[in-house]
Amino acid sequence: MLPLLLPRAVVSGLRGACRSSPSWLCTRACSTNDSFQPQGPNLCNSGEGSSTSGWRVLGSLLGLGAALAYHNHRCRAAQKESPHIYTKEEVRSHSRPETGVWVTFGGEVFDVTEFVELHPGGPSKLMLAAGGPLEPFWALYAAHNQPHVRELLAQYKIGELDPKDNTPSTLDTSDPYANDPVRHPALKVNSQRPFNAEPPPELLAENYITPNSIFFTRNHLPVPNVDPDTYRLHVVGAPGSDSLSLSLDDLRKFPKHEVTVTLQCAGNRRSEMSQVKEVKGLEWRTGAISTARWAGARLCDVLLQAGHQRGDTETHVCFEGLDSDPTGTAYGASIPLARALDPDADVLLAYEMNGQPLPRDHGFPVRVVVPGVVGARQVKWLGRVSVEPQESPSHWQRRDYKGFSPSVDWDTVDFDSAPSIQELPVQSAITEPLDGETIQSGEVTVKGYAWSGGGRAVIRVDVSLDGGLTWQAAELHGEEQCPRKAWAWRLWQLQAPVPAGQKELNIVCKAVDDSYNVQPDTVAPIWNLRGVLSNAWHRVRVQVAP
Amino acid sequence: MLPLLLPRAVVSGLRGACRSSPSWLCTRACSTNDSFQPQGPNLCNSGEGSSTSGWRVLGSLLGLGAALAYHNHRCRAAQKESPHIYTKEEVRSHSRPETGVWVTFGGEVFDVTEFVELHPGGPSKLMLAAGGPLEPFWALYAAHNQPHVRELLAQYKIGELDPKDNTPSTLDTSDPYANDPVRHPALKVNSQRPFNAEPPPELLAENYITPNSIFFTRNHLPVPNVDPDTYRLHVVGAPGSDSLSLSLDDLRKFPKHEVTVTLQCAGNRRSEMSQVKEVKGLEWRTGAISTARWAGARLCDVLLQAGHQRGDTETHVCFEGLDSDPTGTAYGASIPLARALDPDADVLLAYEMNGQPLPRDHGFPVRVVVPGVVGARQVKWLGRVSVEPQESPSHWQRRDYKGFSPSVDWDTVDFDSAPSIQELPVQSAITEPLDGETIQSGEVTVKGYAWSGGGRAVIRVDVSLDGGLTWQAAELHGEEQCPRKAWAWRLWQLQAPVPAGQKELNIVCKAVDDSYNVQPDTVAPIWNLRGVLSNAWHRVRVQVAP
């Protein structure tokens, strides 16, 4: 995301806005600059050769009359001596260009409708904050925390937030989710209880390391409130060995191991599968995937201390979370012992995420991180580890998170007939442009992510602008990956000329991993009743502006 | 393959054939049995209620006139007192129903035209031997080596092979391939020099373990003639350690390790890719894949003895063959050191194939076997092993056996931009029915193989009879595979009703491995200039007999 980097001269030139009408009402023509540049909403107040582009873009967006109405409204509000008081609800109702776009910051309310199209990071990024507070976004993008940005914002003040709206709401103790943490407003919520949400595509591939606050969240149950001082991780000992009861400090005494790992939910991109035929599951779009730098003890070190070794026959390491349903049943999952004991598999009992203690939504104080494996096995709020001859008996291990033939339905499904998902297949998606967007002719920038399971590196992403007839290889970005341990995604980008005369582009991406596995062309033949493993070519249709 | 299991009564009833004309010339009608049964070409000689089906089938196949001509010809030949002498060339020219189908056995010549349709293992299997010797096929299917089968064959004798044809041809010492071994006639030859050949689909999936004689052969150069007594494998020692010079006996002193491994050429199914657009390479069909039980020393044991250990940085184990081109350049390839040293990766220096010393075409006396990895790295006639900071400098490592985007052509290809193929993607193909075949209505049996690279097990094969609209899961057969070490293929089978009124079936198969990777729907988007990694859905069109 481009930070707001406005030269002070431009900002100071903006002072005194509202002293006159916008440029198209000026008797004097001021058509010096038609190009779109990152600058404030210059209102042609002084006639000093300043640009009209802000109003022009806004005018074309909203229609001239509407734009004028907003302008006047803003001016009236700012001129008042005692500030106008707005409720949160009123602010929230101004979240679209048609209603006007309001935001809050530090108890003040701003009408930034006119600024949306001028936002240097792009209109879509600013719109993520529409109708709510700017703080969570400025916390993500620290470049905003500069005096000239504050000054720019001040121009748009229309009033203040009702102080009553700042008191926290009373805790509803009858609601098992009442104690869930506060989440970042940019997250697109697929389910509030349990909380399941993904970052929007505009933000997802902006950062190689996903900020904790917008890392996708997949909860199956209410978030437990764990006291780190009394927390103990119970590790069942091997026959003849003692079990371990590890405090956070005990866990920190094991060698600290750090690794960058992409986590993906098995249901990522399920919404495309449900367009083929109804599936059972949350409507994840392309955002049920994120990347963090995790740190913690290696599971193999902890298991060795509890006396566990490689067995001759396949055995499983079972995990239980501290989250549980009203009957007391905890979330559970397992992975093969061979993977757990392989030092090269980098399986962690993680207590840090991007240099911070784990956020509550991501398993505070300890979660399992199993690189290259489906998110469902990376148990959060970890309470218990044991080595068993069978997979975890958990519903989520045995009766969910498995793939089936498209011919299998809820009448015929036999969950025992398919293996639990562990490593995931090769995956990629387009995050820019958005489906349905209108792009400028000339050149198009296509961006996205690509990843594969099992430590297999993405070696190529092919992008097509014509629905898959012709392809161009994208540039790959991101951390260099160790051979056989490519745990993290690649971000990718392609800049390509828009074919002349094209009114619409059917943009497609497909990735190849270092086992030369590829994504399937279409969704229907991989459709399955739970809508998991949706990794067909990702397709985005955009219009080309004439 | 069904063995020839004919009751003696039937066989003895066949004696005296040719004493009369075939049944349709009989004045007495003998229409007792119209069903197709495995029995000899009963010629209605005695009128003892015997079947006419042999002649009927043959009649419908060839037309009555032609069948009669063959019959008379056969009778004339058999009745001669001094046997007719045929050259190999004459026999070879009788390899189709239109010309008559001759075979040889032990210096005798047989016209089995009439028996083709009666062959219990199916006509297509017998036709593999048409125009040549039966011995190689009977060696494959030992059930033929029974007296009643010999007696049955004797009925078809038409003469003897010219003794001159049994003397070996003079060795042409100017031909570097003159010393290549004799091959099994069932192999479909894609290139004679160097020798490259695949088993036909009818035989490929008949055996879980491919017999050595029909295992696909991929040679890049003439086959070296290695003296096992003087053979030495040179293993370059690590810094500070001695190099090893290992005789075959030395190698046998390492612990013997056995493993069932499927080998596949990167070019398997290239012929489908070249139908999209021209590619450079041999026209392999579905048979550049086979499975054997390999035995030998583990590469990790040998490398440890030569002082090699895991390095911090990626290094490579380079192999050189004893096969070389006229400039003396040997075939070479490499694999990552991490794989070579991983005991679980089961990398072998193999000296046995299915319990026998390696055949010359498969690397006698020693070859590398790298489970889960492309055939090209499994160097045959192994002469030298070394650990290097870089991949093998060999042409075949650096300038071949890599995958590219469909947009890359010979003008734009940059071989350094793609990793060498190591693990292969998930693969499957249909071996029965054959493309273009006519099947009976009622029920269809579809058979084939499925495999994936990197030890990933095939967990499901979906088969469609309608081009991919609807799918049915096939039954999987074959050895149980260890988790993460599924080195060998699965054979599969589906028996399904032919949809009523269907005149044609568009049969498709696709496999899923335990990372839930799937095959891509179509070939064009994975097309590449070398025609490697051809793993789209396999499609076979068949007609349904009315």
Side-chain angles (χ1 to χ4, degrees):
Chain A
M1 183 171 181
L2 288 172
L4 274 166
L5 291 173
L6 304 186
R8 274 177 186 279
V10 173
V11 175
S12 57
L14 299 179
R15 293 194 186 152
C18 297
R19 272 184 294 180
S20 75
S21 300
S23 63
W24 64 82
L25 297 180
C26 288
T27 49
R28 167 170 163 228
C30 34
S31 58
T32 50
N33 189 350
D34 275 1
S35 69
F36 187 83
Q37 289 185 343
Q39 55 195 10
N42 192 311
L43 302 181
C44 201
N45 56 309
S46 64
E48 290 161 11
S50 56
S51 165
T52 64
S53 64
W55 283 105
R56 289 221 176 150
V57 171
L58 188 67
S60 69
L61 194 73
L62 301 177
L64 299 185
L68 181 58
Y70 287 126
H71 174 70
N72 292 341
H73 166 83
R74 189 173 66 76
C75 292
R76 276 195 309 275
Q79 280 158 357
K80 277 187 184 164
E81 297 217 342
S82 66
H84 195 102
I85 301 298
Y86 297 102
T87 63
K88 265 192 182 169
E89 196 44 57
E90 279 176 289
V91 174
R92 194 152 35 226
S93 69
H94 290 79
S95 60
R96 289 170 296 129
E98 300 79 37
T99 58
V101 177
W102 295 7
V103 293
T104 68
F105 188 82
E108 296 181 312
V109 180
F110 307 87
D111 178 352
V112 294
T113 315
E114 297 161 0
F115 183 68
V116 169
E117 283 292 324
L118 305 173
H119 184 240
S124 67
K125 304 291 191 326
L126 179 48
M127 286 305 290
L128 293 170
L134 282 176
E135 284 89 339
F137 298 89
W138 287 21
L140 273 181
Y141 300 105
H144 289 83
N145 293 319
Q146 298 185 57
H148 67 266
V149 181
R150 298 281 182 102
E151 287 174 34
L152 174 64
L153 182 67
Q155 306 298 322
Y156 295 99
K157 180 170 173 182
I158 54 172
E160 294 185 357
L161 206 53
D162 189 341
K164 288 196 296 291
D165 270 2
N166 276 327
T167 50
S169 53
T170 323
L171 201 65
D172 175 1
T173 50
S174 68
D175 175 5
Y177 293 95
N179 200 22
D180 266 21
V182 175
R183 278 89 182 205
H184 196 283
L187 288 170
K188 300 290 176 191
V189 178
N190 295 318
S191 146
Q192 212 36 273
R193 298 164 187 226
F195 188 74
N196 287 283
E198 61 190 296
E202 303 92 306
L203 294 185
L204 185 61
E206 290 292 324
N207 302 279
Y208 183 73
I209 299 293
T210 315
N212 288 356
S213 57
I214 59 165
F215 200 100
F216 87 96
T217 301
R218 172 62 178 118
N219 294 346
H220 295 83
L221 295 162
V223 177
N225 207 355
V226 183
D227 177 353
D229 295 330
T230 58
Y231 170 79
R232 293 294 180 273
L233 173 61
H234 185 69
V235 182
V236 178
S241 297
D242 289 338
S243 292
L244 311 178
S245 177
L246 302 171
S247 69
L248 260 181
D249 276 347
D250 293 335
L251 209 54
R252 287 203 189 93
K253 284 175 195 148
F254 286 89
K256 184 175 178 179
H257 198 73
E258 282 196 63
V259 60
T260 306
V261 179
T262 296
L263 262 54
Q264 185 184 202
C265 178
N268 192 27
R269 300 181 58 202
R270 178 181 284 130
S271 58
E272 293 160 63
M273 216 166 246
S274 63
Q275 282 167 24
V276 171
K277 203 168 83 174
E278 194 190 357
V279 298
K280 200 169 152 183
L282 297 166
E283 287 286 293
W284 297 103
R285 281 149 290 181
T286 55
I289 184 168
S290 300
T291 300
R293 183 88 180 151
W294 307 91
R298 290 200 301 194
L299 177 59
C300 60
D301 294 338
V302 174
L303 287 176
L304 288 174
Q305 181 150 327
H308 296 287
Q309 299 174 33
R310 278 260 324 245
D312 288 338
T313 54
E314 173 78 343
T315 43
H316 302 266
V317 179
C318 297
F319 307 115
E320 264 182 38
L322 297 169
D323 49 338
S324 60
D325 70 13
T327 73
T329 305
Y331 184 82
S334 61
I335 62 170
L337 179 61
R339 182 182 296 275
L341 286 179
D342 181 359
D344 279 331
D346 289 331
V347 183
L348 296 188
L349 303 180
Y351 45 75
E352 272 182 26
M353 180 178 182
N354 296 328
Q356 302 293 320
L358 296 187
R360 285 187 60 213
D361 259 335
H362 298 290
F364 180 82
V366 175
R367 76 173 298 171
V368 187
V369 172
V370 192
V373 160
V374 65
R377 311 301 166 215
Q378 321 212 17
V379 175
K380 303 194 275 192
W381 314 290
L382 185 65
R384 188 177 194 273
V385 178
S386 63
V387 176
E388 311 283 354
Q390 303 292 333
E391 285 190 295
S392 164
S394 158
H395 166 86
W396 294 280
Q397 186 79 19
R398 303 263 182 119
R399 292 289 173 272
D400 200 352
Y401 295 119
K402 297 186 172 193
F404 294 96
S405 168
S407 59
V408 172
D409 61 27
W410 289 102
D411 292 329
T412 58
V413 65
D414 170 13
F415 272 97
D416 292 329
S417 70
S420 65
I421 301 172
Q422 294 281 344
E423 294 184 0
L424 285 171
V426 60
Q427 175 69 289
S428 72
I430 298 160
T431 57
E432 179 186 329
L434 299 177
D435 193 49
E437 206 175 298
T438 298
I439 62 161
Q440 299 305 307
S441 58
E443 199 173 57
V444 62
T445 299
V446 187
K447 288 185 183 181
Y449 64 77
W451 180 78
S452 189
R456 292 178 284 281
V458 167
I459 59 166
R460 205 179 75 233
V461 174
D462 295 329
V463 178
S464 173
L465 303 182
D466 56 12
L469 295 176
T470 61
W471 301 90
Q472 302 171 66
E475 272 179 32
L476 303 185
H477 303 288
E479 283 178 12
E480 204 54 45
Q481 303 284 297
C482 292
R484 302 172 96 195
K485 295 170 68 162
W487 308 131
W489 63 10
R490 289 287 198 168
L491 300 181
W492 54 263
Q493 178 165 340
L494 176 80
Q495 280 181 292
V498 175
Q502 210 70 26
K503 290 182 181 163
E504 190 183 63
L505 298 183
N506 185 356
I507 309 178
V508 187
C509 74
K510 64 180 174 81
V512 186
D513 72 20
D514 62 8
S515 293
Y516 283 97
N517 273 302
V518 297
Q519 298 177 244
D521 311 19
T522 59
V523 185
I526 57 165
W527 182 96
N528 59 83
L529 74 174
R530 269 296 269 122
V532 291
L533 305 156
S534 182
N535 75 327
W537 299 354
H538 189 223
R539 296 161 188 270
V540 157
R541 274 181 192 274
V542 298
Q543 308 301 313
V544 181
Chain B
M1 184 171 182
L2 289 172
L4 273 165
L5 291 174
L6 303 186
R8 274 177 185 278
V10 173
V11 175
S12 56
L14 298 179
R15 292 193 188 157
C18 296
R19 271 184 294 181
S20 74
S21 300
S23 62
W24 64 83
L25 297 179
C26 288
T27 50
R28 168 173 162 224
C30 36
S31 57
T32 51
N33 188 349
D34 274 1
S35 69
F36 187 82
Q37 288 185 344
Q39 55 194 9
N42 192 309
L43 301 181
C44 198
N45 56 310
S46 64
E48 289 160 12
S50 56
S51 163
T52 64
S53 65
W55 281 104
R56 288 219 178 156
V57 172
L58 188 67
S60 68
L61 193 73
L62 302 177
L64 299 184
L68 180 58
Y70 287 126
H71 174 69
N72 291 341
H73 167 82
R74 192 173 66 73
C75 292
R76 276 196 310 276
Q79 279 159 359
K80 278 188 180 164
E81 298 220 339
S82 65
H84 194 102
I85 300 298
Y86 296 102
T87 63
K88 266 191 181 169
E89 196 44 56
E90 279 176 289
V91 174
R92 193 153 35 228
S93 69
H94 290 78
S95 61
R96 289 169 297 128
E98 301 79 37
T99 57
V101 177
W102 295 6
V103 293
T104 68
F105 189 81
E108 295 180 314
V109 180
F110 306 88
D111 178 352
V112 294
T113 315
E114 296 162 0
F115 184 66
V116 169
E117 283 292 323
L118 305 174
H119 184 240
S124 68
K125 303 290 192 323
L126 178 49
M127 285 304 291
L128 293 170
L134 283 176
E135 283 90 340
F137 297 90
W138 286 21
L140 273 182
Y141 299 106
H144 290 83
N145 292 318
Q146 298 185 57
H148 66 267
V149 181
R150 298 283 182 102
E151 287 174 35
L152 174 66
L153 182 67
Q155 307 298 322
Y156 295 98
K157 180 170 174 182
I158 55 170
E160 293 185 359
L161 205 54
D162 190 340
K164 289 197 295 289
D165 270 0
N166 276 328
T167 50
S169 54
T170 323
L171 200 64
D172 175 2
T173 49
S174 69
D175 175 5
Y177 293 95
N179 200 23
D180 265 20
V182 175
R183 277 88 182 205
H184 196 283
L187 288 169
K188 299 291 175 189
V189 178
N190 296 319
S191 147
Q192 213 35 273
R193 296 164 187 225
F195 188 74
N196 287 284
E198 61 190 297
E202 303 93 306
L203 294 185
L204 184 61
E206 290 291 324
N207 302 280
Y208 183 72
I209 299 293
T210 315
N212 288 357
S213 57
I214 60 164
F215 200 99
F216 87 95
T217 302
R218 172 62 178 117
N219 294 345
H220 295 83
L221 294 161
V223 176
N225 206 354
V226 182
D227 177 353
D229 294 330
T230 58
Y231 171 79
R232 294 293 180 276
L233 173 62
H234 185 69
V235 183
V236 178
S241 296
D242 288 337
S243 293
L244 311 177
S245 179
L246 302 171
S247 68
L248 261 180
D249 276 347
D250 293 335
L251 210 54
R252 286 202 190 94
K253 285 174 196 148
F254 287 89
K256 184 175 178 178
H257 197 73
E258 280 196 64
V259 60
T260 305
V261 179
T262 296
L263 263 52
Q264 184 183 203
C265 178
N268 192 28
R269 300 181 59 203
R270 178 181 283 130
S271 57
E272 292 160 65
M273 215 165 247
S274 64
Q275 281 166 25
V276 172
K277 204 168 84 175
E278 195 189 358
V279 298
K280 200 169 151 183
L282 298 167
E283 286 286 294
W284 297 103
R285 281 150 289 180
T286 55
I289 184 169
S290 301
T291 300
R293 182 86 181 152
W294 306 92
R298 288 201 303 193
L299 177 59
C300 60
D301 294 338
V302 174
L303 287 176
L304 288 175
Q305 180 150 327
H308 296 286
Q309 300 174 33
R310 278 266 315 250
D312 288 338
T313 53
E314 171 79 343
T315 44
H316 301 268
V317 180
C318 297
F319 307 116
E320 265 183 37
L322 296 169
D323 49 338
S324 60
D325 70 13
T327 73
T329 305
Y331 185 81
S334 61
I335 62 170
L337 179 61
R339 182 182 294 277
L341 285 179
D342 181 359
D344 280 332
D346 288 331
V347 182
L348 296 187
L349 303 181
Y351 45 74
E352 273 183 26
M353 180 179 182
N354 295 328
Q356 302 293 320
L358 296 187
R360 285 186 60 213
D361 259 336
H362 298 290
F364 181 82
V366 175
R367 76 172 299 171
V368 187
V369 171
V370 192
V373 160
V374 64
R377 311 301 166 215
Q378 322 213 16
V379 175
K380 303 194 275 194
W381 315 289
L382 186 65
R384 187 176 194 272
V385 177
S386 62
V387 177
E388 311 282 354
Q390 304 292 332
E391 285 190 295
S392 164
S394 157
H395 166 86
W396 293 281
Q397 186 79 18
R398 303 263 182 119
R399 293 289 173 270
D400 199 352
Y401 294 118
K402 295 186 170 192
F404 294 96
S405 169
S407 59
V408 172
D409 60 27
W410 289 102
D411 293 328
T412 58
V413 65
D414 170 13
F415 271 97
D416 293 329
S417 70
S420 64
I421 301 172
Q422 295 281 342
E423 293 183 1
L424 285 172
V426 61
Q427 175 70 289
S428 72
I430 298 160
T431 57
E432 179 187 328
L434 299 177
D435 193 50
E437 206 177 298
T438 298
I439 62 162
Q440 299 305 306
S441 57
E443 199 173 56
V444 61
T445 299
V446 188
K447 288 184 183 180
Y449 64 77
W451 180 78
S452 190
R456 291 179 284 282
V458 168
I459 59 166
R460 203 179 77 232
V461 174
D462 293 329
V463 178
S464 172
L465 304 182
D466 55 11
L469 294 177
T470 62
W471 301 90
Q472 301 172 67
E475 271 179 33
L476 304 184
H477 303 288
E479 284 177 12
E480 205 54 45
Q481 303 283 298
C482 292
R484 301 173 96 196
K485 296 171 67 163
W487 308 131
W489 64 11
R490 289 287 199 168
L491 301 182
W492 55 263
Q493 178 166 339
L494 176 80
Q495 279 181 293
V498 175
Q502 210 70 27
K503 291 182 179 161
E504 190 183 64
L505 298 184
N506 185 355
I507 309 178
V508 186
C509 74
K510 63 180 174 82
V512 186
D513 72 19
D514 62 9
S515 292
Y516 282 97
N517 273 302
V518 297
Q519 299 177 243
D521 311 20
T522 59
V523 186
I526 57 165
W527 182 96
N528 60 84
L529 74 175
R530 270 295 270 121
V532 290
L533 305 156
S534 182
N535 74 326
W537 299 354
H538 189 223
R539 295 160 188 271
V540 157
R541 274 180 191 272
V542 297
Q543 308 301 314
V544 180

